[in-house]
Amino acid sequence: DQQVKQNSPSLSVQEGRISILNCDYTNSMFDYFLWYKKYPAEGPTFLISISSIKDKNEDGRFTVFLNKSAKHLSLHIVPSQPGDSAVYFCAASGPGNTGKLIFGQGTTLQVKP
Amino acid sequence: DTAVSQTPKYLVTQMGNDKSIKCEQNLGHDTMYWYKQDSKKFLKIMFSYNNKELIINETVPNRFSPKSPDKAHLNLHINSLELGDSAVYFCASSHNTGSSNQPQHFGDGTRLSIL
């Protein structure tokens, strides 16, 4: 039973435009959400996170939005750059402090020059 | 100065063999994890250790045995390898699980192929 879902396997955007990656979850007890970026043959790299007490967190070109009532989060990348082309994983954890992350299946982003 | 390093990067072996994957982190973290990424690209947690103590043990066959000699190392030993064990195994680490709001840092993975 998949508790974290990324329903778009792939996304293609033009350089300079906005990339929006979406993630849905089913467990209302999740209290911490993260986005990871992964290049081929490398491990996932932490990008940005958000606590369930917030609805937005921003770090440079990356912003994560959390809509708890809809159990939905999104990652916005503005402006998109060719180097952003990678697989993006959404992950969630909680409740409690086990550190157990539940990952979505990933979305492959391609940013075209 | 790799933060989380795994060896080997690639491992090709026969069904029925026993193999180990090593993981070391130099971030000063006290919690380490093993994840498995299957052919469908799902990343699923297998184990976590905090200061050499087992914290998370998901539904994993007991052919898989993690060992943590110290908090900077978490090795994964697999007995009697099966075809279904073919996957990429990722090691990760984070600060202690006293707070859930700690991102995990991943190694580059070990691609295990069973012939």
Side-chain angles (χ1 to χ4, degrees), chain A residues 2-113:
Chain A
Q2 222 178 311
Q3 298 185 71
V4 178
K5 295 181 184 179
Q6 294 175 254
N7 291 318
S8 297
S10 62
L11 175 67
S12 182
V13 300
Q14 208 65 35
E15 181 179 5
R17 299 289 185 102
I18 185 171
S19 295
I20 300 176
L21 297 108
N22 294 304
C23 178
D24 297 297
Y25 61 95
T26 58
N27 189 341
S28 58
M29 300 300 288
F30 286 146
D31 57 14
Y32 183 53
F33 304 89
L34 309 90
W35 283 95
Y36 281 84
K37 174 180 175 180
K38 185 182 180 305
Y39 292 118
E42 294 185 10
T45 301
F46 171 69
L47 206 51
I48 192 169
S49 64
I50 188 166
S51 164
S52 60
I53 62 173
K54 294 185 175 181
D55 55 19
K56 178 183 174 181
N57 189 25
E58 194 171 349
D59 184 1
R61 297 185 297 115
F62 302 92
T63 303
V64 55
F65 295 92
L66 175 62
N67 182 334
K68 284 196 299 181
S69 60
K71 296 193 185 70
H72 177 85
L73 66 154
S74 60
L75 174 69
H76 292 212
I77 307 173
V78 182
S80 302
Q81 299 173 354
D84 296 329
S85 298
V87 179
Y88 288 79
F89 289 96
C90 164
S93 72
N97 301 322
T98 64
K100 176 179 174 180
L101 290 182
I102 308 295
F103 281 85
Q105 65 269 52
T107 296
T108 301
L109 173 65
Q110 183 185 27
V111 180
K112 297 180 179 177

Side-chain angles (χ1 to χ4, degrees), chain B residues 34-111:
Chain B
W34 277 109
Y35 286 83
K36 178 181 180 181
Q37 185 179 35
D38 60 22
S39 57
K40 294 184 179 178
K41 306 302 181 188
F42 285 105
L43 260 168
K44 292 184 179 177
I45 191 163
M46 301 172 69
F47 303 101
S48 82
Y49 270 73
N50 180 267
N51 276 321
K52 303 193 295 176
E53 180 184 347
L54 182 65
I55 302 297
I56 297 173
N57 185 351
E58 290 296 292
T59 310
V60 177
N62 58 15
R63 297 182 294 104
F64 290 78
S65 54
K67 286 190 170 45
S68 181
D70 55 63
K71 73 175 191 177
H73 296 82
L74 180 62
N75 304 322
L76 183 65
H77 189 76
I78 316 170
N79 289 327
S80 304
L81 281 157
E82 299 177 357
L83 290 174
D85 298 332
S86 296
V88 183
Y89 293 84
F90 288 98
C91 177
S93 71
S94 69
H95 282 296
N96 71 54
T97 56
S99 164
S100 61
N101 298 336
Q102 299 294 336
Q104 295 174 21
H105 299 260
F106 285 78
D108 284 341
T110 295
R111 183 173 294 277

